């Protein structure tokens, strides 16, 4: 199967299979009047200046002079869950904080109840529909975390759903085990025992079944402290997992510092990150997975993205799609916020939603740039350039979405 995309006004992409930091965060290639030849789902040839790749094609798409980029990579989602939490909004508007609601047995624990009640099929069908919607927004690869089961049966159920989605859905889905997302009611007041149970039972079982590539922990006030997070992550590393950590979302209790010390692949959120934590991340080679739509939805400040870029920390922007603090899977909205609130440039942002998250979920060799030999995951935007994509707000500008050389939208 040979596909040609011709008449590309601007083909914009980062290059390479590594994460980009500092001044390289904003390095993109821009090819004018370009074309892409695809064979069996792989990019074969890229031309510019009106030149057309040679050969016969089974299908030709005219990009009509528009912007073409790599398919977006969403590096942080809670894609699989049992129910929304719209009931929390009146409480939030009356002044209750995210952690107040969690401490009162709601928040994540509300989603845990609904996820434990849901069958595999119910969770699968809901999440597959979310993936369809994601792809319609131009996302062709995403990460998905467990963490609403919080016991053996239900964490495995969630991870089996994520695995089945990865096998059956056109999107690439990368699984993260997040058993340490909250303390379930049966362990109330016994966080240390819960962490021990994770380290002794769940982490090894998830490993044995090959159901996740990463382990993640919610290091946060009233959830898991830095010592508990460290214990969990060290047990995960000993089992061969790579590490992620939800750090400094609400309070800086040392999560970003720990991420750097453990050389975690990524620290996620970082709204409240301080100098010490950021310096530790820079030293440990830890990527920042920033979630601006969550800052917006929680009414919080925005993570210090410019400082991170200055310190040489690779920056990603992800959706954080989840039923509580960010019920949106439109990564384009996060792009708008990255532009206006993080003050990142359109070039830096493109890197933050393509190659950097691809590397943070171990898919940098496969996706995240438009280069010969990479998977043909491509978006034609209803926009002439990245500036327009960063500027227009509230519309879906993904016009044509191509995954492994197949037109999905
Ligand atoms: O369901 O609230 N921050 N985990 C940590 C979340 C947000 C997801 C949720
Ligand atoms: Zn999260």
């Amino acid at each position: 199967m040979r596909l040609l995309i011709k008449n590309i006004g601007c083909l914009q992409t980062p290059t390479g299979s590594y994460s980009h930091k500092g001044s390289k965060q904003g390095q993109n290639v821009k090819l004018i009047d370009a074309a892409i030849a695809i064979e069996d789902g792989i990019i074969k040839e890229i031309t510019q200046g009106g030149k057309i790749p040679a050969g016969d094609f089974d299908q030709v798409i005219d990009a009509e002079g528009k912007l073409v980029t790599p398919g977006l990579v969403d590096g942080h989602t809670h894609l699989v869950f049992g129910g929304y939490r719209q009931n929390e909004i009146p409480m939030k508007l009356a002044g209750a904080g995210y952690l107040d609601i969690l401490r009162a047995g709601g928040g994540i624990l509300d989603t845990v109840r609904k996820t434990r009640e849901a069958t595999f099929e119910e969770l699968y069908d809901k999440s597959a529909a979310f993936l369809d919607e994601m792809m319609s927004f131009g996302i062709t690869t995403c990460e998905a975390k467990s963490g609403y089961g919080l016991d053996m049966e239900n964490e495995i159920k969630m991870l089996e759903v994520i695995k089945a989605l990865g096998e059956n859905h056109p999107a690439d889905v990368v699984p993260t085990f997040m058993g340490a997302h909250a303390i379930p009611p049966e362990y109330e007041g016994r966080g240390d025992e819960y962490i021990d149970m994770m380290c002794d039972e769940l982490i090894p079982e998830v490993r044995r079944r090959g159901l996740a590539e990463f382990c993640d922990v919610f290091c946060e006030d009233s959830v898991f402290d830095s010592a508990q997070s460290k214990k969990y992550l060290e047990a995960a590393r000993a089992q061969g997992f790579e590490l992620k950590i939800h750090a400094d979302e609400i309070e800086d209790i040392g999560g970003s510092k720990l991420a750097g010390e453990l050389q975690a692949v990524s620290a996620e959120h970082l709204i409240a990150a301080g100098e010490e934590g950021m310096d530790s991340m820079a030293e440990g080679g830890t990527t920042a997975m920033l979630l601006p739509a969550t800052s917006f939805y929680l009414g919080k400040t925005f993570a210090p993205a410019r400082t991170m870029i200055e310190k040489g920390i690779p920056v990603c922007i992800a959706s954080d799609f989840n039923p509580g603090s960010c019920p949106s899977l439109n990564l384009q909205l996060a792009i708008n916020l990255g532009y206006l609130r993080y003050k990142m440039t359109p070039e830096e942002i493109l890197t933050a939603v393509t190659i950097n998250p691809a590397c943070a979920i171990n898919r940098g060799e496969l996706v995240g740039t438009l280069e010969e030999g990479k998977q043909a995951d491509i978006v034609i935007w209803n926009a002439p350039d990245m500036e327009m994509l960063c500027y227009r707000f509230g519309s879906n500008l993904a016009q044509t979405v191509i995954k492994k050389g197949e037109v999905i939208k």
Side-chain angles (χ1 to χ4, degrees), residues 201-350:
E201 296 173 31
L202 266 87
I203 291 172
E205 183 62 14
V206 172
R207 187 72 198 169
R208 199 181 64 73
R209 294 181 185 232
L211 285 173
E213 296 181 31
F214 298 90
C215 281
D216 195 344
V217 54
F218 192 12
C219 181
E220 184 59 67
D221 178 33
S222 309
V223 192
F224 299 107
D225 64 23
S226 183
Q228 290 168 329
S229 302
K230 184 167 188 236
K231 188 167 189 190
Y232 171 88
L233 292 173
E234 283 178 340
R237 170 161 287 156
Q239 290 283 335
F241 288 104
E242 294 193 69
L243 311 182
K244 293 181 176 288
I245 173 165
H246 279 57
D248 311 346
E249 177 179 0
I250 317 281
E251 307 281 348
D252 179 359
I253 62 159
S256 48
K257 184 163 173 277
L258 177 65
E261 283 165 7
L262 293 178
Q263 299 181 320
V265 174
S266 57
E268 329 225 331
H269 283 289
L270 303 168
I271 293 172
E275 293 288 328
E276 195 187 5
M278 287 188 277
D279 288 340
S280 171
M281 285 175 61
E283 200 173 316
T286 298
T287 287
M289 187 70 70
L290 303 185
L291 312 168
T294 306
S295 285
F296 165 74
Y297 211 74
L298 290 176
K300 296 276 175 191
T301 55
F302 286 77
R306 285 249 63 90
T307 308
M308 291 172 184
I309 293 172
E310 275 160 29
K311 286 183 185 286
I313 299 168
V315 170
C316 304
I317 294 177
S319 72
D320 192 24
F321 176 57
N322 77 74
S325 57
C326 195
S328 169
L329 38 69
N330 183 357
L331 193 56
Q332 292 173 44
L333 179 63
I335 287 175
N336 300 133
L337 291 167
Y339 196 36
L340 292 170
R341 306 306 297 268
Y342 292 157
K343 303 189 195 308
M344 288 169 67
T345 67
E347 292 80 8
E348 289 169 339
I349 289 172
L350 185 62

Side-chain angles (χ1 to χ4, degrees), residues 361-376:
I361 59 173
N362 278 347
R363 294 298 183 276
E365 300 282 338
L366 210 60
V367 301
T369 68
L370 296 179
E371 292 176 284
E372 285 155 24
K374 282 220 178 171
Q375 204 165 280

